[in-house]
Amino acid sequence: MIWSVVSYLSSGARERQVLRSVDDVLELLAACDGVFDAPPPEGDPVDLLAHGLQCAEVLRECCPDDLGLHLAGLVHDLGHALSAAHTGRDHGEVAADAVRQVLGQRVARLVALHVPAKRYLAATDQSYGLSPASVASLARQGAGMDEAEQAAFLTLPEAQDALALRHADDEAKVVGRQVPGLDVWAPRLRLYVDTLQ
Ligand SMILES: [Fe+2]
């Protein structure tokens, strides 16, 4: 199923793994309907589109004035749908590289940091609860951060927003949850990109 998304991209886009317009972002998100990050039982129970929409909505509820953060939540897992993620690269970095040209450096940084934020929380928050899929992937991602890594993470200007994204990410796996769709997010996405010009 994942490869059906990869094949959606033109051959040039597959090689570049870079999205060049808002329409590219929206088309790839739409193509994630029914696509899962990994086969069961390791994968999450909602598809990549539902997961991104839920994540964006959780962030809108918690941080209503930060549209860039909402959009980072919307696109944070697009790396799972790009073939570079199947070559051993971290899916957060793959997604960040894909969206940077359209959504700018801050959103790309937040997207890239959603995996390190998980490693930070796994090491520092005893109450941090992960889904079975996230527990399984944590070991591959480097397990919890050591103290030096934690200190370095906290120096990043996006650290607190990345942690908010990570918490939203972990909440955004509810089967059947009704949240605004791409039709609602499309004008918000265009509005945000206009502010970057
Ligand atoms: Fe996610």
Side-chain angles (χ1 to χ4, degrees):
M1 285 186 289
I2 289 170
W3 293 101
S4 68
V5 175
V6 174
S7 64
Y8 136 85
L9 294 167
S10 69
S11 58
R14 276 203 303 275
E15 290 164 16
R16 292 192 308 272
Q17 302 288 321
V18 169
L19 304 171
R20 291 192 164 169
S21 67
V22 170
D23 287 340
D24 276 355
V25 176
L26 291 170
E27 286 183 43
L28 183 55
L29 283 164
C32 287
D33 188 11
V35 176
F36 293 78
D37 59 348
E42 185 177 326
D44 286 325
V46 295
D47 65 42
L48 290 174
L49 174 59
H51 178 56
L53 291 169
Q54 289 187 28
C55 188
E57 181 62 11
V58 171
L59 288 164
R60 196 190 63 79
E61 291 168 354
C62 80
C63 314
D65 298 328
D66 193 344
L67 179 55
L69 180 58
H70 311 165
L71 295 174
L74 183 67
V75 302
H76 75 281
D77 267 347
L78 284 182
H80 284 304
L82 294 168
S83 59
H86 303 275
T87 59
R89 288 193 64 205
D90 176 274
H91 76 277
E93 293 178 1
V94 170
D97 287 347
V99 304
R100 184 175 291 106
Q101 182 172 321
V102 178
L103 292 173
Q105 183 65 14
R106 177 172 178 252
V107 169
R109 289 279 297 157
L110 290 170
V111 168
L113 286 170
H114 87 273
V115 175
K118 169 181 164 181
R119 294 186 56 231
Y120 175 85
L121 289 168
T124 62
D125 185 347
Q126 299 288 332
S127 64
Y128 184 50
L130 285 169
S131 69
S134 285
V135 170
S137 59
L138 180 62
R140 289 197 308 275
Q141 292 163 342
M145 287 182 172
D146 62 29
E147 289 189 6
E149 290 175 313
Q150 294 166 30
F153 177 82
L154 290 179
T155 67
L156 300 173
E158 305 91 350
Q160 296 307 316
D161 291 336
L163 292 173
L165 194 163
R166 186 69 227 184
H167 284 300
D169 184 358
D170 297 323
E171 282 186 47
K173 302 177 181 184
V174 181
V175 176
R177 181 177 179 195
Q178 297 299 304
V179 293
L182 279 183
D183 57 326
V184 172
W185 285 100
R188 295 173 181 169
L189 211 163
R190 295 187 196 285
L191 179 69
Y192 183 79
V193 169
D194 285 346
T195 68
L196 299 177
Q197 307 304 319

